Structure formats: C-alpha cells, structure tokens
Amino acid sequence: MEPMTLLIVTCILFVGSHLLLSHPLRAPLAGRMGERSFQIVYSIVALATFILVVQAWRGMPPEPPLWAAGDALWAIASLVVLIASILFMGSLVGNPALPAPGAAFAAQGAPRGVYAITRHPMMWGFSLWALAHALVMPTPGQFVLSAAIAFLALVGAAGQDVKKARLMGDTWRHWAARTSFVPFARQIRGTTPWGDTIPRPHALFGGILVWIAATWAHGALGYMAAGIWRWIS
C-alpha cells in the first residue's frame, strides 16, 4: 500500500472508530458489556488506531512544501497554538461537556472565560493545533493528518451536543442556549460581552506554560524549532 494511502486509511480508522464508539455504538455496547469493560475496549481501540496513524505518518516519504513558511507565518502559527493551549487548559476545569460527576452543576453557572468563547474549548483547541501545523508544514501528508484531527474534534463536539442534550436534558439545553459552538459567535452578535471571554488564571497561565513546554519539546525531540524557541534557540 502506498504511504499516502496507508496514512488516509489509518486516519479513517482512527477517526471512524472514535466517532462510532463515542456516539452510536456507545450506549448499546456499554449496556451489554458494562461501563468499565466498555471503557477498556474504547481505550484499547483508541490507542491501537493512534499507533497505526503514527506509524503511517513516520512512513511518509519527504514531501515538498506547497508554500514557504517564513517567520511571519511561524509567528501566526505560534500564536494560534498559544490560543489552543489556553482553550485546552481552560477546558479541564468546570467543563459540562466532560463526563464528570459535576457536569450538571457546572452547566448551571454563568459561562465565563473559555466557555464564553465556545462551549467546546477542548475540541477547538485540538482543531487550532491542527491548523497551525498545516500552516507551517504545508505538505499533503500534513494536510491529511491535520484534517483528520480537526474533523474528529469538531464532529465529535457536535456529537457531544446531541449526547449531552439526551443525558442532561434541559440542563444542557440551557447551557447551550447561553454559549456558542463557534468561537466568539455570541460576542460578534452582541449577545455576550467581550469582557466575559478573558481567560481565568488556570487557563491563561496554564496555557502559557503548556505552550512554552510543548514548543520547547518540539525542538528537543528533533523536530523543527517552534514558538519562541525558533528565535531564541
């Protein structure tokens, strides 16, 4: 199998298995196997398909970039990754979309910080991360990988809306009515103040630390220098 074909196939397996096990197959399988057993199976499938994607990616031959990524584009991509890191760190606390015991309680609060930006900050963080990599590594293989990650994140987020509405009922619908799927949509419409989007300290400072560490590791692991390390290393 050609390297690009293999990468596409493994990405389809990775994305498809995640979506199927997270949504249409979750309830019947968890009901038959039990939640604990289902989580074990889900984790095994997720890890196995992820390893397949990584191996396929490593097997890709060198590809010429479709455009030159200069310092300006790297600066934009670095800023995008910083925003993605802030969204991700903010999503780890008080997130009604996560399968946590306090989800219903969290959904009753006023959307602030990253949740005033979007009710799916984690998923948009993954999507922005994928976009940034496609900007500075514009090869067909990277486009396939980035598209798979962004598709999984955003389609998965839409699936979360449906699943959470079924599981949490009016609590989730009330949360969804006070938040937006698309980042900053409510601010652009003028229904939510821009000041509400200021990240909380754990999101802002945690995101900055994650961004600094991740971009440092990018170069330390033998990949291209990224973030501030591109200019100070």
Side-chain angles (χ1 to χ4, degrees):
M1 188 179 293
E2 292 294 323
M4 176 60 81
T5 302
L6 181 60
L7 179 62
I8 293 172
V9 169
T10 55
C11 283
I12 291 173
L13 287 174
F14 177 67
V15 172
S17 61
H18 267 68
L19 294 178
L20 287 172
L21 291 176
S22 296
H23 302 291
L25 297 182
R26 183 183 183 94
L29 288 178
R32 180 174 299 179
M33 302 167 57
E35 186 64 30
R36 185 186 181 97
S37 297
F38 172 79
Q39 288 293 341
I40 294 174
V41 171
Y42 182 95
S43 299
I44 292 173
V45 172
L47 179 60
T49 53
F50 176 74
I51 290 174
L52 289 176
V53 170
V54 170
Q55 292 301 319
W57 172 250
R58 288 179 174 175
M60 286 291 294
E63 297 177 300
L66 300 181
W67 59 76
D71 283 346
L73 196 56
W74 269 98
I76 293 171
S78 297
L79 178 61
V80 170
V81 173
L82 174 58
I83 295 171
S85 301
I86 293 171
L87 289 173
F88 176 77
M89 292 303 294
S91 75
L92 299 179
V93 178
N95 190 350
L98 294 179
F105 177 78
Q108 295 173 10
R112 293 288 187 273
V114 296
Y115 302 112
I117 298 173
T118 172
R119 63 177 167 272
H120 294 292
M122 180 181 291
M123 298 306 189
W124 278 101
F126 291 148
S127 299
L128 290 176
W129 176 90
L131 171 63
H133 282 73
L135 287 176
V136 295
M137 193 175 179
T139 63
Q142 182 63 56
F143 289 163
V144 169
L145 183 61
S146 291
I149 293 170
F151 181 84
L152 175 59
L154 297 183
V155 173
Q160 278 186 334
D161 278 345
V162 175
K163 181 169 64 177
K164 284 291 185 174
R166 184 179 68 251
L167 295 175
M168 296 171 59
D170 288 341
T171 301
W172 178 262
R173 283 186 282 271
H174 183 51
W175 173 255
R178 294 178 293 133
T179 56
S180 64
F181 185 96
V182 178
F184 298 110
R186 291 179 64 84
Q187 286 74 33
I188 294 172
R189 292 198 303 265
T191 53
T192 299
W194 286 93
D196 288 356
T197 66
I198 297 174
R200 299 292 179 85
H202 71 274
L204 180 60
F205 297 111
I208 292 173
L209 287 175
V210 166
W211 176 71
I212 291 173
T215 52
W216 173 83
H218 209 275
L221 293 175
Y223 299 101
M224 292 180 289
I228 58 175
W229 309 104
R230 185 169 181 83
W231 291 278
I232 67 175
S233 59

